Amino acid sequence: MIAFFIAIVSASLIMLAAHYRNSYLKEIRYNRLLNNLNSGIEYTLANKDAMEGKQTLDLFGDELDSLELDKKDWGIFDLAILKSFVKQDTLKRAFLIGNLTDSTAIYLSDEDRPLSISGHTRITGNVELPKSGIRQSYAEGKPYDGGKELIFGGKTSNSTRMLKPLNEKLLERLKAVFANQAQKLPVLQQNELRVSFLDSTQKFKLPQIANLADVNLEGNIILISDSLVTISATAQLNGIQIYAPLIKVEQGFKGSCQLFAVDSILVADNVEFKYPSVLGVMRTKRSVVQPQIVLGDHVNFDGIIFSHENERTALQTLIGLGKDTRVQGEIYSTGLLRVEKGSKINGKVSCNRFLMKTPLTLYENFLIDVAFNSKARSRYYLSSKLFKEQRPNRILKWLN
């Protein structure tokens, strides 16, 4: 009996030692994979254009530590998917890549006319303006009330005739999605769908004059339509992309997504887009006379809004902000930016010309009771490679 109990205790000790040894070795393998994964993240962020598509690296040349990197476009951002593996053990991570940006508040193309400000207008940050400069004006029954200071906390320099160019390769890839709408894609049938970014992208075609209501769509999903798409307040969209000629967002919607159109994007009142959302309109041969993005009153938007056309036309693209609408991020218009009283932009604005809309008049290159403040933008904000500025890459958002 004594020998039996001794054998049981000895076997238990041996099994316990083996268990702790396996746990210890497992922790070592996990930490090794985690270190390799962090090395891959640093490698991906350091290489801006050198890495496109999928590749496999042998980190130390001993054929023991391997890293698989996959980098592709996700709208106007880079999507990186990393897999670190040693034999059968694997760790995976996915994240969006953004770029650091500057402290410019306004870039206004030089059309040989000054920028006039009136009322309680405040511009904070660096500005690039026409050579004719900026001046105080009397409009809507009120003068400028900011005293002698016209620009707060920033420097003024001269702009050029043209806006700083966008990333043409990225724009062409976005436009190609519209050109390939005839491809045979399954029609979206599910009301609720969540696709991990570690899996393959799920593309769906929307039916004619689609109404996205009572749906919950999240993750690695692209929706394409060849007609009007309406996004209802009951729709829950998180991280997906939508391509359509015309997109309407109904009052009360809250979500985070990237919307791209060739005609217009119309956003109703009291809508909230969470970071990092994108609204983009690109003029193509299929576009209407004046492609535009119009945000209603009391809209909160965190992200990037842009419009683009290859050549300046008589009716330039238009981005319009409603009364008391707030944008935190960047606005880039290869045409006109229309604002109303109470419009507030925490970030950067680039456009050819301002339009100031009041109940009675439409002013050109006037700003009345609006605020542009690049320093009020979140310090964690990251921009996009769309703007071609060679600035360091950072992790914009971790994905599942």
Side-chain angles (χ1 to χ4, degrees):
M1 291 295 293
I2 293 174
F4 175 72
F5 283 113
I6 291 174
I8 291 177
V9 172
S10 299
S12 300
L13 291 175
I14 293 172
M15 292 179 64
L16 186 63
H19 171 73
Y20 278 109
R21 181 176 182 274
N22 289 334
S23 299
Y24 174 70
L25 293 176
K26 184 177 180 181
E27 183 178 358
I28 290 178
R29 292 196 303 272
Y30 175 81
N31 290 332
R32 185 170 182 172
L33 289 172
L34 189 60
N35 288 334
N36 293 345
L37 198 63
N38 290 332
S39 298
I41 292 172
E42 295 298 326
Y43 177 85
T44 304
L45 295 177
N47 289 269
K48 296 181 180 180
D49 299 319
M51 192 191 79
E52 290 289 343
K54 185 179 293 186
Q55 60 177 281
T56 302
L57 301 177
D58 183 4
L59 291 178
F60 305 107
D62 54 8
E63 299 183 358
L64 294 176
D65 299 274
S66 296
L67 189 69
E68 185 177 280
L69 312 175
D70 189 9
K71 185 178 177 183
K72 55 187 178 181
D73 294 328
W74 186 252
I76 64 172
F77 301 107
D78 277 332
L79 168 63
I81 302 172
L82 278 65
K83 182 172 74 172
S84 171
F85 57 95
V86 176
K87 296 182 179 180
Q88 301 300 319
D89 297 317
T90 303
L91 282 182
K92 297 180 180 181
R93 292 302 299 267
F95 57 92
L96 292 178
I97 298 175
N99 313 103
L100 295 178
T101 186
D102 57 24
S103 59
T104 302
I106 294 178
Y107 184 99
L108 180 63
S109 298
D110 191 348
E111 294 186 329
D112 298 321
R113 63 180 75 187
L115 175 64
S116 301
I117 58 176
S118 176
H120 192 65
T121 294
R122 293 292 183 269
I123 301 174
T124 306
N126 298 328
V127 296
E128 297 182 57
L129 301 174
K131 294 182 180 63
S132 51
I134 183 171
R135 66 186 184 187
Q136 301 182 30
S137 295
Y138 189 90
E140 296 294 306
K142 61 178 70 174
Y144 174 66
D145 64 5
K148 295 181 179 180
E149 290 288 334
L150 303 182
I151 305 297
F152 295 84
K155 299 179 180 180
T156 302
S157 57
N158 293 331
S159 61
T160 63
R161 295 279 183 180
M162 304 295 293
L163 294 177
K164 296 177 181 179
L166 297 179
N167 188 330
E168 289 293 339
K169 290 184 179 179
L170 177 58
L171 289 171
E172 290 304 317
R173 287 197 286 265
L174 294 174
K175 292 176 183 178
V177 179
F178 294 100
N180 297 328
Q181 285 189 32
Q183 59 185 319
K184 294 183 179 179
L185 292 175
V187 177
L188 180 67
Q189 302 288 346
Q190 304 95 318
N191 288 331
E192 185 169 348
L193 181 62
R194 184 176 182 270
V195 181
S196 171
F197 283 93
L198 299 176
D199 299 328
S200 59
T201 302
Q202 299 295 306
K203 294 183 179 181
F204 297 95
K205 197 169 188 177
L206 293 174
Q208 293 285 332
I209 313 181
N211 186 8
L212 293 176
D214 299 316
V215 296
N216 188 349
L217 305 175
E218 179 179 355
N220 199 2
I221 302 171
I222 296 178
L223 305 179
I224 302 174
S225 175
D226 54 10
S227 61
L228 168 66
V229 173
T230 300
I231 301 175
S232 172
T234 59
Q236 299 181 49
L237 307 180
N238 185 11
I240 73 169
Q241 298 181 53
I242 300 179
Y243 295 79
L246 174 61
I247 300 175
K248 291 184 177 181
V249 183
E250 293 186 344
Q251 182 173 340
F253 169 78
K254 293 182 180 180
S256 172
C257 52
Q258 298 189 55
L259 308 181
F260 302 100
V262 294
D263 288 351
S264 298
I265 298 176
L266 306 177
V267 179
D269 301 339
N270 300 302
V271 169
E272 181 178 354
F273 280 95
K274 300 177 182 178
Y275 181 77
S277 292
V278 177
L279 302 180
V281 165
M282 297 157 286
R283 184 191 289 274
T284 66
K285 293 180 180 179
R286 299 178 54 189
S287 298
V288 294
V289 176
Q290 186 182 35
Q292 56 185 320
I293 301 173
V294 178
L295 277 61
D297 299 338
H298 308 287
V299 173
N300 285 319
F301 182 91
D302 286 5
I304 295 173
I305 303 174
F306 75 95
S307 66
H308 178 264
E309 59 181 357
N310 290 325
E311 297 181 1
R312 186 180 297 190
T313 57
L315 285 175
Q316 303 177 58
T317 61
L318 170 71
I319 295 177
L321 306 182
K323 184 179 179 181
D324 296 322
T325 285
R326 182 194 66 88
V327 174
Q328 176 155 296
E330 292 174 84
I331 297 178
Y332 180 102
S333 174
T334 54
L336 314 174
L337 175 60
R338 187 184 68 210
V339 294
E340 296 186 33
K341 290 184 178 181
S343 297
K344 186 175 183 180
I345 301 171
N346 295 333
K348 182 178 181 179
V349 171
S350 301
C351 64
N352 288 332
R353 194 184 311 159
F354 286 110
L355 297 178
M356 183 70 215
K357 182 181 179 183
T358 68
L360 300 177
T361 313
L362 189 66
Y363 297 88
E364 285 195 356
N365 270 14
F366 263 78
L367 296 176
I368 307 170
D369 296 336
V370 296
F372 296 78
N373 191 342
S374 62
K375 296 185 177 182
R377 183 173 53 196
S378 171
R379 62 175 179 168
Y380 300 109
Y381 172 83
L382 293 175
S383 185
S384 163
K385 64 179 182 178
L386 176 70
F387 300 109
K388 290 184 66 175
E389 297 180 356
Q390 297 300 316
R391 299 183 181 276
N393 292 331
R394 294 290 186 269
I395 297 173
L396 185 146
K397 182 180 180 180
W398 291 108
L399 305 170
N400 55 352

